Amino acid sequence: MAGSALRRLMAEYKQLTLDPPEGIVAGPISEDNFFEWEALIAGPEGTCFEGGVFPARLVFPPDYPLSPPKMKFICDMFHPNIFADGRVCISILHAPGDDPMGYELSAERWSPVQSVEKILLSVVSMLAEPNDESGANVDAAIMWRERREEFNQIARRLVRKTLGLPT
Amino acid sequence: MEPKDEEIMKQQREIEKEVCDSTPLVSEKISLSCLRTEYMGDDVFSAKIQDLLKKYKFIRRTRPDGNCFFRAFAYSYLEYLITNYTAYQEFRKLAESSKDKLVELGFPRFTLEDFHETFMEVIKRVDPDCTGAEGSEKLQNELHQIFNEQGYSDYVVVYLRLITSGKLQEEAEFYQNFIEGSFTIEEFRHQEVEPMYKESDHIHIIALCTAIGAGVRVEYLDRGEGSTVKAHDFPEGSEPKVYLIYRPGHYDILYPN
């Protein structure tokens, strides 16, 4: 069928498997349902999240890629752009007009030529460089800005937790 | 914002969505005089509709989902092409080569290909050379069916949006002059052209018509002065192949006498 979300998701999965970007693994949780994926994201090197492996879920709408998926971390996270319940809040996950955080004009938005890979790469950049202007987690945003060492300590504890090490 | 306003906005959106979903993506041809009933008691519009009826007989409605210009344009232009084999072939060549051009302009090949493939499939399905004796009526039905199948219809819209965006980038210096506010051409393309459901303005129309080389005449049914409907040809001075009616916020297809 033409214009099929399923066809596109299968193609993206194949592409991500053949040529995976560094530090990212992603694919459907079960081959029976291509609309729910799990992703594992390695904390970027040289940041307080380095060494961690953070699991997340992606849920795709029936009209994907016309509309973007939703993304949620399923491990404990503490980050200015991640809600307390794990939802990721970055501009590429929103179409223009759908603007809960008042993103800047120049911020990258969802459009049908974006892809899962682009989203995951944006999330990696987000982990490395939080955007404290659009605070999904205000406490984290303030701590990141004003008490960086304390923020880094929490991040390092989360890293150990994702690895199953004592915190 | 007060939570109350948010609630009202949410309801408003729900109503809009309901109206939207209950309209077919592209309707059958309807007698243009149906607009008379729609604007009964509205003197300004009634006079203008009377004027419009001198030139046009039918209207074909499109779903008011923000994609109406692109959908109406694609439908109407293909409708013209299925009756004009030379123009069809030229367009098919242009469509075929458009992918490489967009890749050169920096669009990601992987996701672009998906839309291009479907776009080409639609064009091939209405090839005037493959119909045999039944001729254009069969093609017309095929076209109508394709455009009311969301998967195909929306992918055609996406691809035209990408062609439009590509044109804006290719001639960024020229189009920058048309952009209001503080948008750069880059921001405008990503925010106002490429995403689905974003409404079209003159700049979208000019860029798309120029990229494809197809003339479009738009008749403006609005509250502007006078009792005649003002028409505008894009690109200026071209011979129109596609006729559209614009009512504030929405485009439908027109059929001249």
Side-chain angles (χ1 to χ4, degrees):
Chain A
M1 198 194 107
S4 154
L6 180 60
R7 190 187 60 184
R8 163 79 175 251
L9 285 168
M10 288 169 86
E12 288 203 48
Y13 177 43
K14 193 173 155 202
Q15 177 87 0
L16 277 168
T17 315
L18 290 175
D19 186 14
E22 214 185 302
I24 292 171
V25 182
I29 296 168
S30 131
E31 301 263 326
D32 303 333
N33 180 7
F34 264 81
F35 289 81
E36 282 187 35
W37 287 31
E38 190 163 293
L40 293 173
I41 297 172
E45 276 175 37
T47 73
C48 55
F49 294 102
E50 179 174 354
V53 178
F54 303 95
R57 287 269 161 92
L58 286 129
V59 178
F60 297 88
D63 71 343
Y64 181 79
L66 308 184
S67 304
K70 288 189 166 56
M71 184 171 171
K72 191 176 175 172
F73 278 99
I74 49 175
C75 57
D76 285 341
M77 273 305 213
F78 187 71
H79 186 283
N81 308 113
I82 302 173
F83 285 105
D85 65 359
R87 272 181 299 138
V88 178
C89 194
I90 51 174
S91 62
I92 195 175
L93 286 168
H94 295 276
D98 164 26
D99 208 344
M101 306 308 286
Y103 299 114
E104 289 168 40
L105 273 184
S106 57
E108 187 152 38
R109 295 313 191 96
W110 181 256
S111 90
V113 284
Q114 302 284 21
S115 59
V116 179
E117 182 175 340
K118 286 289 289 284
I119 291 173
L120 296 175
L121 290 172
S122 298
V123 170
V124 173
S125 317
M126 174 199 83
L127 289 177
E129 292 166 48
N131 172 6
D132 62 356
E133 298 287 305
S134 67
N137 183 334
V138 179
D139 293 342
I142 292 171
M143 194 186 287
W144 188 79
R145 209 160 40 217
E146 292 168 9
R147 306 194 302 278
R148 187 65 60 87
E149 200 32 54
E150 203 178 326
F151 181 89
N152 289 349
Q153 266 175 21
I154 294 180
R156 281 194 290 268
R157 206 159 59 229
L158 291 173
V159 165
R160 294 181 67 82
K161 210 166 168 183
T162 68
L163 300 173
L165 299 171
T167 51
Chain B
M1 191 188 293
E2 295 289 313
K4 210 174 166 190
D5 291 341
E6 231 169 74
E7 196 54 36
I8 293 168
M9 270 174 64
K10 193 173 159 232
Q11 276 178 5
Q12 175 93 24
R13 276 200 297 273
E14 274 162 14
I15 293 168
E16 279 167 11
K17 191 174 180 305
E18 238 177 80
V19 171
C20 182
D21 291 348
S22 63
T23 317
L25 289 166
V26 184
S27 82
E28 298 290 337
K29 246 172 164 177
I30 309 163
S31 167
L32 185 60
S33 54
C34 71
L35 289 185
R36 274 200 200 136
T37 355
E38 206 172 310
Y39 293 102
M40 195 117 65
D42 184 324
D43 291 342
V44 179
F45 272 45
S46 294
K48 290 192 175 186
I49 291 163
Q50 208 51 41
D51 176 51
L52 206 59
L53 278 164
K54 289 182 205 151
K55 291 178 274 181
Y56 300 93
K57 229 193 207 116
F58 296 103
I59 183 172
R60 197 188 284 279
R61 295 178 190 274
T62 61
R63 184 179 288 181
D65 62 357
N67 295 316
C68 56
F69 164 71
F70 289 103
R71 210 182 307 273
F73 172 88
Y75 189 104
S76 180
Y77 192 52
L78 281 169
E79 216 175 10
Y80 158 74
L81 292 178
I82 58 182
T83 62
N84 188 326
Y85 191 48
T86 319
Y88 169 87
Q89 280 175 310
E90 264 172 42
F91 176 68
R92 185 157 156 176
K93 252 188 258 160
L94 183 143
E96 197 69 70
S97 62
S98 62
K99 184 183 80 185
D100 291 339
K101 194 168 171 186
L102 290 175
V103 171
E104 258 171 55
L105 285 167
F107 286 86
R109 178 183 289 276
F110 173 68
T111 45
L112 182 71
E113 246 160 26
D114 190 24
F115 301 107
H116 183 252
E117 256 171 46
T118 302
F119 190 66
M120 290 316 297
E121 191 188 334
V122 169
I123 294 172
K124 285 170 193 165
R125 274 176 61 180
V126 295
D127 185 341
D129 204 26
C130 299
T131 47
E134 300 94 340
S136 66
E137 196 183 327
K138 195 177 156 199
L139 281 178
Q140 181 70 60
N141 290 338
E142 179 80 356
L143 182 68
H144 194 72
Q145 203 189 327
I146 295 172
F147 269 77
N148 277 297
E149 219 173 284
Q150 192 116 31
Y152 283 103
S153 208
D154 283 349
Y155 266 41
V156 168
V157 169
V158 170
Y159 198 68
L160 291 186
R161 285 181 177 278
L162 299 179
I163 290 182
T164 307
S165 173
K167 190 72 196 170
L168 291 178
Q169 189 187 338
E170 203 184 349
E171 289 174 39
E173 217 170 294
F174 172 71
Y175 286 105
Q176 183 70 61
N177 303 318
F178 293 84
I179 291 177
E180 290 165 23
S182 55
F183 272 129
T184 65
I185 211 81
E186 194 73 8
E187 287 160 1
F188 185 82
R189 289 170 49 221
H190 298 326
Q191 307 259 348
E192 300 291 326
V193 183
E194 289 166 15
M196 285 294 274
Y197 318 115
K198 292 297 272 185
E199 287 182 14
S200 299
D201 226 320
H202 280 189
I203 180 169
H204 300 76
I205 306 182
I206 296 167
L208 179 63
C209 295
T210 313
I212 288 186
V216 176
R217 176 168 294 170
V218 182
E219 301 277 357
Y220 291 89
L221 180 56
D222 54 25
R223 302 225 164 261
E225 257 175 60
S227 57
T228 55
V229 173
K230 289 202 173 52
H232 208 311
D233 290 346
F234 302 94
E236 227 167 298
S238 64
E239 189 196 334
K241 303 288 187 243
V242 167
Y243 296 84
L244 303 176
I245 176 172
Y246 178 79
R247 285 177 280 167
H250 186 64
Y251 293 89
D252 289 305
I253 303 167
L254 279 177
Y255 292 87
N257 289 331

